[in-house]
Every structure is written in C-alpha cells, then in structure tokens.
Amino acid sequence: MEPALAVANAVLYEGYILFPYTASAKKNRLRWQFGVVVPEAYAANGTGEAADMQTEILLACGAEARVTLRVRFLQVEARWVQAISGSSFETVGSLEADGRRHVTFDEGIERDVTVSLNPSTPSTAAPIAFPGEERVEPLREADGTLRGRIVRRRWPLHGAIAVDCEEVAGRPSLRKLRVRIVNRSSIVPGERSAALRTAFVSTHTLLHAVDGRFLSLLDPPEDVVRETESLRNRHTWPVLIGDGSDDARRSPLALSSPIILYDFPEVASQTKGDTFDLTEVDELMMLSVRSLSDGEREEARATDPRARAIVERAERFGAGDLADLHGVLDIPSMDCVFVGETKVAKGSMVRLHPKRRADVWDAFLEGKLATVRAIHQDVENQMYVAVTVDDDPASELHDWYGRALFFYPDEVEPVAMAARNS
C-alpha cells in the first residue's frame, strides 16, 4: 500500500493543526472535522453526527484473489500542562521549563486495523480495540528543579469492522465489497470536544487487491454503470490510487476518503513536508507562517511537534524554495515578447491597462507603472507578462519570493525610461 500512503496521510492529518498553528488560535478550536465516527450512544442523542462509515466498491477478480484493507484514523489524546503548586499540580495554559515552552493541547495518535480476506467469503469481521492509558512526564529546569508536569490521557476505544462480499448477479468475476466501520466506545461526558476523545477521527480505508482490480465510481467501465449506480457510500467516497497509466478505470489500490478526491490523487511534487492542511496552497501556507510574530512562532512550536516542524521548515525557506512552490511554467528560450514593434523583457517598464477584469483589483491597476520581472508561456503557448507595480510598497518583497501579477501582452503599454522618470 506504499503508493497510497502519501495521499492517505494527507487525509489522515487534514485539518489536524489549522493555521496559525497555535493552541490559543480560535480556528484551532474547530479541529477534528473530517471523517469523524462518534460513539453510537453520542449519535443517538440527536447530535447529527454519524457512528458508522460505509464503503461500497466493485472488485473484478479471479478465483485466487485476496484483499487487504486497512482502516486508519486518529485517536484524540488529551494533553494537560500542569504547574507545581505547593504539594499539588494545577493545570495551566502554558509553562516554560528549561528554556522550552509547553502548552495544553490535544494531540492525535495514529491508529490502524488491518483485515485480510478472500472475496469469495461472504463476510469477515474484525474488532477495533485500543486500551486507555495515562502517562506523566515531569518538567524540570536544567538544575533538576521540578516546575510541573505533562499529563497525557487516552480513553478506551471499541468498535468493529464488518466486510461483506457479494457476487454480482450474472457476473461471477465481479464482487461488491462493503466495508462498515462502527464506533461502540463509551462517551466521555461533556461537550463535543469531550465526546471526540472516544471518536475515530479522519477515518478512512485503504484497500489492496491481489489478482483483482477495483473499478472506478467516477468513471466506471461501461459494462458496470448500472451496478455502480446501486452502490451506497456513507460519509466516505472510494477513489482509485496509482498513476492510471495502465488503466484509468481500474486499479489494485483504492482509498475510501472522507474528503472529496478524484481518481488517482497525488500530493504535489513541490511539497517539501507535511502542512496538515492540504486544502491550502503550500506557498501561501509557508509565507503565512513566516509572517507570524516571534511570540506566535514560539507558541506554535510549543503547540505540537508537527507544528514545530512546520514553523522551522518555513523559517529555513529561501527564495529558491518559494520559487519551486510557486510552480510557474517557464520556457527559458522565451525571454521576451513584442507589444506592437516594441520588445518587452525582464526589466522593461510598462503601463498597465487591464482589459479582462478577471479580478476586482484590476480596476485599481489601470494606468499604473510597473516593472517586468519575467516573461512566461503556458502549455497552450499563451504568453504572459509578469510584473510588480512600482508604487506598491511590497514590490521588492514580491520580487524576492517570486510573486508577480500576470497580464496578457495586449494589456501592457511599453514605457520609455524618460517618460517614466517624468
């Protein structure tokens, strides 16, 4: 299942730490939104949240076929930072010890359950069972003075995975696989944040077939369109995994995801590390982290080891890294473009006359002087003039990290140096 894990991990941690990566940020109070399977008793209280998840997918297979599936999710682990107070400990928002800050913040622990089956077997079941645990970590200064402690607690999880395999009528080599995940854990009293401590979070299912191929639900083979329409997926959606080069409608790998995906999804090659919010643009995320104040970055480092890694990676980023993330297609031989009979290239001065009004800001750019930073060409051979606006106070910063405004050649007017200086 290795080819699927990059995408699966993006699903697993989607929204795990929402920008701006600090425990005190209001946005981080809305964590754990994707693929949440709550305990049955909690769902029965009319909360509107589901206690089960169901995947249905078609499998074309031979007599010796085997299927392995992995149900994966995050278990919420409570983390309290407690300061020493006399002979006891008191929970606090944050505490510094030995030059490092620690904050109270829930973490996520990866869980997975693997099930192997023969598609000719009508049904297979496996339990989901993880015990509760509490761990205490003392916080000391360099000289050994006790300042406090970190208390981490996980509550027991109980549930089940049920797999049903049905032969499609009149199609002996075609099976319908149904994977149902149910949460039967006890409820932790309190609001939703407490109930989530025994929920399955970011739940998804990876499926791998030997001597078999899963069929696309988005673009099914023509001879199984009717059978595909009868499939019922609840709170999740299966897509094919791989490169699709051999067959765009079949694959031995599938991912049933609570996030909307297309067949054969992949993480962008420019991505240098996990951001745990892959609906965002990596370039924007890195620049946003760099814009945090020193205090916000320090709090982010203390929030979670994964948040610390994001901040430190952003701080190491230079212009070249950001240019790679920017993802602009450059044709090196195309270093200029002609506007009328005037050559426009990097360093040329132009006056902007936006015509297409693609953005409301275009109205404010009419008549503005700008400096050409590059000439670009897309895959359809359309030329673009990339510029920074001269009276923009951030123009040098934009040029440093490769940000520019793009215009068609007929939207720029070449300006002579003398005219510009006047």
Side-chain angles (χ1 to χ4, degrees):
M1 295 186 180
E2 188 67 29
L5 286 179
V7 176
N9 286 336
V11 170
L12 184 65
Y13 284 101
E14 171 63 36
Y16 175 75
I17 303 172
L18 297 171
F19 177 76
Y21 309 119
T22 58
S24 63
K26 291 182 178 179
K27 192 173 183 180
N28 272 338
R29 299 174 190 173
L30 300 175
R31 300 166 73 205
W32 324 115
Q33 297 297 307
F34 300 99
V36 176
V37 180
V38 300
E40 286 181 320
Y42 184 78
N45 291 335
T47 61
E49 298 196 70
D52 72 329
M53 175 181 283
Q54 177 174 293
T55 296
E56 288 193 345
I57 192 169
L58 296 178
L59 173 70
C61 61
E64 303 299 321
R66 299 289 299 178
V67 172
T68 301
L69 63 90
R70 289 176 63 185
V71 172
R72 307 171 79 233
F73 58 87
L74 293 178
Q75 177 180 7
V76 178
E77 178 179 80
R79 184 184 76 198
W80 297 286
V81 174
Q82 298 181 338
I84 192 166
S85 179
S87 60
S88 61
F89 293 89
E90 178 182 350
T91 298
V92 294
S94 66
L95 178 68
E96 186 170 318
D98 194 21
R100 182 173 177 179
R101 188 178 180 187
H102 305 269
V103 300
T104 294
F105 195 69
D106 285 352
E107 300 174 324
I109 307 299
E110 292 185 21
R111 298 300 195 191
D112 70 72
V113 179
T114 300
V115 181
S116 296
L117 58 107
N118 185 332
S120 62
T121 302
S123 62
T124 305
I128 296 175
F130 296 97
E133 182 182 358
E134 183 168 296
R135 293 170 292 131
V136 178
E137 175 189 349
L139 298 177
R140 301 181 183 274
E141 297 290 0
D143 62 4
T145 302
L146 183 65
R147 291 294 311 278
R149 66 184 186 181
I150 297 175
V151 179
R152 292 181 172 89
R153 184 179 178 186
R154 297 196 294 265
W155 284 260
L157 297 183
H158 300 285
I161 303 168
V163 185
D164 296 315
C165 302
E166 303 175 6
E167 182 178 314
V168 176
R171 307 286 294 274
S173 63
L174 190 63
R175 298 281 196 282
K176 179 172 77 172
L177 264 64
R178 179 186 303 111
V179 181
R180 186 167 181 262
I181 303 164
V182 181
N183 188 345
R184 299 193 176 108
S185 305
S186 299
I187 304 175
V188 178
E191 298 180 352
R192 181 177 186 267
S193 58
L196 286 174
R197 287 170 174 165
T198 52
F200 309 155
V201 178
S202 295
T203 312
H204 59 280
T205 304
L206 280 168
L207 303 105
H208 177 252
V210 176
D211 192 27
R213 295 292 185 270
F214 296 104
L215 307 185
S216 172
L217 275 71
L218 292 169
D219 185 21
E222 295 179 0
D223 61 338
V224 296
V225 170
R226 185 189 309 175
E227 289 81 1
T228 301
E229 291 174 346
S230 69
L231 299 178
R232 296 293 177 262
N233 287 280
R234 297 200 301 268
H235 317 299
T236 188
W237 182 257
V239 296
L240 304 183
I241 297 290
D243 60 15
S245 58
D246 293 335
D247 192 332
R249 296 180 175 183
R250 300 171 179 84
S251 176
L253 269 175
L255 167 64
S256 192
S257 166
I259 300 171
I260 296 174
L261 299 172
Y262 290 98
D263 283 335
F264 307 110
E266 59 182 354
V267 176
S269 59
Q270 298 97 327
T271 297
K272 305 297 184 182
D274 295 324
T275 56
F276 311 114
D277 199 1
L278 289 180
T279 57
E280 299 283 0
V281 179
D282 285 359
E283 178 189 14
L284 174 61
M285 298 290 281
M286 290 295 101
L287 293 174
S288 297
V289 173
R290 291 174 66 91
S291 73
L292 294 175
S293 67
D294 290 343
E296 289 172 322
R297 291 188 194 182
E298 188 58 34
E299 183 183 358
R301 286 185 176 90
T303 294
D304 184 275
R306 298 177 180 92
R308 173 184 289 270
I310 293 172
V311 173
E312 293 179 351
R313 189 168 68 251
E315 290 177 337
R316 293 193 301 268
F317 261 48
D321 298 300
L322 291 170
D324 289 342
L325 284 182
H326 197 53
V328 174
L329 175 62
D330 243 336
I331 307 297
S333 61
M334 299 295 180
D335 60 353
C336 68
V337 67
F338 281 85
V339 178
E341 297 182 355
T342 303
K343 179 180 177 180
V344 173
K346 182 178 180 179
S348 297
M349 292 70 175
V350 296
R351 192 180 301 275
L352 303 177
H353 299 293
K355 295 180 178 180
R356 290 155 180 84
R357 293 292 188 267
D359 190 294
V360 66
W361 293 106
D362 285 351
F364 298 102
L365 296 176
E366 172 62 38
K368 293 284 187 179
L369 290 172
T371 299
V372 176
R373 300 301 181 184
I375 304 297
H376 296 288
Q377 181 181 17
D378 66 17
V379 293
E380 296 178 347
N381 297 320
Q382 173 63 55
M383 304 299 294
Y384 300 92
V385 181
V387 306
T388 55
V389 179
D390 288 2
D391 63 2
D392 182 349
S395 61
E396 291 186 2
L397 179 61
H398 294 325
D399 185 39
W400 175 77
Y401 62 69
R403 173 73 68 178
L405 300 174
F406 286 73
F407 293 92
Y408 291 101
D410 64 355
E411 295 180 302
V412 301
E413 172 192 355
V415 176
M417 179 66 76
R420 176 175 179 168
N421 292 336
S422 62

